[in-house]
Amino acid sequence: MNSVPIYEIEEQDISSRDVLSLPEYRIANRPFFMFGNTITTGAVIVPYIQDPIALAASTTICSGLVVLPSLEMDSIEICTVPAVRVQYNNRTLINEFLNTIGQNLLDQIIDLIQSNSLRQGWPLSYIDIEYLEDIEIEDWHYVLLNLIFDTTFEHAEIILCQCYELLDELSETLNPEAQEILQQRLYLNAGTIL
Amino acid sequence: MPELYYESINPEDYLQLAKSLSSQDDGVAKRTAADRAYYAVFLSGRELLSEKGYLTPLNSERDHEKVVNKLQEAKLLGSYGSQMLRLRLARNQVTYNLNKLYRQPSGHSRSLNWMIDAAEKLLERIKALPENNTS
């Protein structure tokens, strides 16, 4: 069986790539696996795959390997892709506001969005999480997850609605306390870098 | 008979006013339209949620928070209720930030078209909610 030599992939220079160009690394419709904050994609390198594949070696968010056992070893290559970057605006306040249950829930939501982004090929550039106090209403605080897409605003809105559905499915699996946090403290928002 | 200052209103009419104002090529009209779009869905939503037995309004500023949180409940709009907060955040920008407002990645400003559309869709969904028989 034909295979692509590893060295051809490793020779690609990714050192100058900005993290905002992460969609370049995405391998559509490939199986993925998650280890904590890491998403690992097993990429099958066979002649019919036309897309260039880059090995993105991020020391902070990328680790772990997956072997697809049903395939011959000379036909597969393992590559990892970085999870979508997450940035926090005032993380201390976010953690205090959400408490331990809320923090775990936030991590779950981020994992859910990252994994679906990878699986469905969303043009998600990064996630910006901010803690806000309402400008008019005293003591009304909330955490906003801004999903920043590299696409049109209209397309981002469509994906946001898909995320709403994912959160609703997640909500059904939560205990009442976590559900309450999801309903009263966490909100999704979409933006674009275009 | 005391002097009548204001007639009673149907808050949904604010949405019609917003649409009407949106066609004007005037920053003040557009901002007023954006503000009214939010209030159309907030006030109508509050009244509808109250009529359907989901919410007991305080008739104060705290109702903004109550409506937003109530809509996010699973048996109401679920996560789609985030749209209400997004609408509010956009309205807060329009109302309190007098500078030019641009679209920014994590910014809260939204176009007037988006605000009117979001208000309409939210209102549609709130109207479609069944009566609350569990309380």
Side-chain angles (χ1 to χ4, degrees):
Chain A
M1 190 177 288
N2 292 331
S3 64
V4 176
I6 296 171
Y7 63 84
E8 285 189 10
I9 300 168
E10 291 180 335
E11 280 178 355
Q12 296 186 33
D13 178 16
I14 62 167
S15 59
S16 62
R17 291 189 186 176
D18 186 82
V19 71
L20 292 181
S21 63
L22 282 180
E24 289 178 34
Y25 303 135
R26 189 168 43 249
I27 305 162
N29 303 318
R30 293 288 166 269
F32 71 94
F33 305 85
M34 295 198 67
F35 302 94
N37 290 329
T38 302
I39 293 175
T40 298
T41 298
V44 183
I45 314 295
V46 289
Y48 62 81
I49 295 177
Q50 301 296 316
D51 299 337
I53 297 172
L55 283 172
S58 163
T59 54
T60 54
I61 54 176
C62 192
S63 64
L65 296 173
V66 167
V67 176
L68 305 177
S70 62
L71 298 167
E72 294 175 34
M73 284 306 293
D74 67 350
S75 71
I76 66 171
E77 178 52 64
I78 306 302
C79 90
T80 58
V81 293
V84 173
R85 176 168 58 99
V86 180
Q87 63 186 39
Y88 293 84
N89 184 349
N90 210 333
R91 190 164 192 174
T92 306
L93 281 177
I94 291 170
N95 288 345
E96 281 175 11
F97 178 64
L98 291 180
N99 70 44
T100 308
I101 293 174
Q103 289 169 40
N104 291 336
L105 176 60
L106 181 60
D107 288 342
Q108 261 185 287
I109 294 170
I110 291 167
D111 283 351
L112 185 67
I113 291 170
Q114 285 180 327
S115 59
N116 273 275
S117 177
L118 188 69
R119 182 190 296 133
Q120 302 189 44
W122 290 342
L124 181 60
S125 291
Y126 62 98
I127 301 172
D128 176 59
I129 301 175
E130 55 181 339
Y131 172 81
L132 294 168
E133 183 170 356
D134 193 82
I135 198 168
E136 279 183 334
I137 315 299
E138 198 178 355
D139 293 331
W140 183 14
H141 308 276
Y142 32 85
V143 170
L144 199 62
L145 279 81
N146 297 294
L147 311 181
I148 310 301
F149 295 95
D150 185 5
T151 185
T152 63
F153 187 75
E154 291 71 23
H155 186 207
E157 290 287 301
I158 292 169
I159 300 172
L160 179 65
C161 285
Q162 294 174 15
C163 291
Y164 287 152
E165 291 173 10
L166 290 172
L167 255 59
D168 288 341
E169 288 170 15
L170 173 68
S171 176
E172 291 173 8
T173 69
L174 300 173
N175 63 40
E177 195 176 349
Q179 272 184 347
E180 190 176 311
I181 292 172
L182 180 62
Q183 289 163 10
Q184 302 192 355
R185 298 187 180 202
L186 292 165
Y187 298 89
L188 284 189
N189 187 27
T192 61
I193 58 174
L194 298 178
Chain B
M1 190 75 132
E3 182 185 357
L4 176 66
Y5 284 152
Y6 303 100
E7 297 286 350
S8 60
I9 60 159
N10 176 354
E12 219 178 312
D13 291 343
Y14 281 143
L15 199 51
Q16 292 310 313
L17 177 65
K19 287 179 185 172
S20 169
L21 289 171
S22 70
S23 60
Q24 293 186 25
D25 192 18
D26 168 7
V28 173
K30 287 187 187 302
R31 284 178 185 249
T32 304
D35 187 74
R36 289 302 95 187
Y38 167 74
Y39 269 99
V41 67
F42 160 62
L43 291 170
S44 300
R46 185 187 69 178
E47 298 306 298
L48 286 164
L49 292 176
S50 172
E51 286 167 22
K52 290 171 189 268
Y54 291 107
L55 185 78
T56 304
L58 299 171
N59 293 320
S60 76
E61 78 279 4
R62 304 297 324 180
D63 287 341
H64 292 277
E65 181 181 3
K66 288 186 79 168
V67 168
V68 167
N69 288 340
K70 182 57 70 175
L71 288 177
Q72 275 230 127
E73 284 187 12
K75 66 179 180 181
L76 279 87
L77 303 189
S79 296
Y80 188 86
S82 277
Q83 293 291 97
M84 188 66 197
L85 186 73
R86 297 179 77 207
L87 188 59
R88 175 169 177 79
L89 289 168
R91 171 264 170 183
N92 287 349
Q93 284 293 310
V94 161
T95 302
Y96 292 105
N97 188 341
L98 304 183
N99 299 319
K100 288 182 179 179
L101 298 174
Y102 298 94
R103 187 172 78 188
Q104 293 176 326
S106 297
H108 303 146
S109 296
R110 293 289 174 265
S111 72
L112 181 52
N113 282 344
W114 180 90
M115 293 184 71
I116 290 173
D117 187 53
E120 272 186 321
K121 286 177 178 162
L122 275 164
L123 208 43
E124 247 171 56
R125 289 191 182 221
I126 296 169
K127 282 180 181 174
L129 288 172
E131 300 277 334
N132 182 19
N133 297 318
T134 58
S135 61

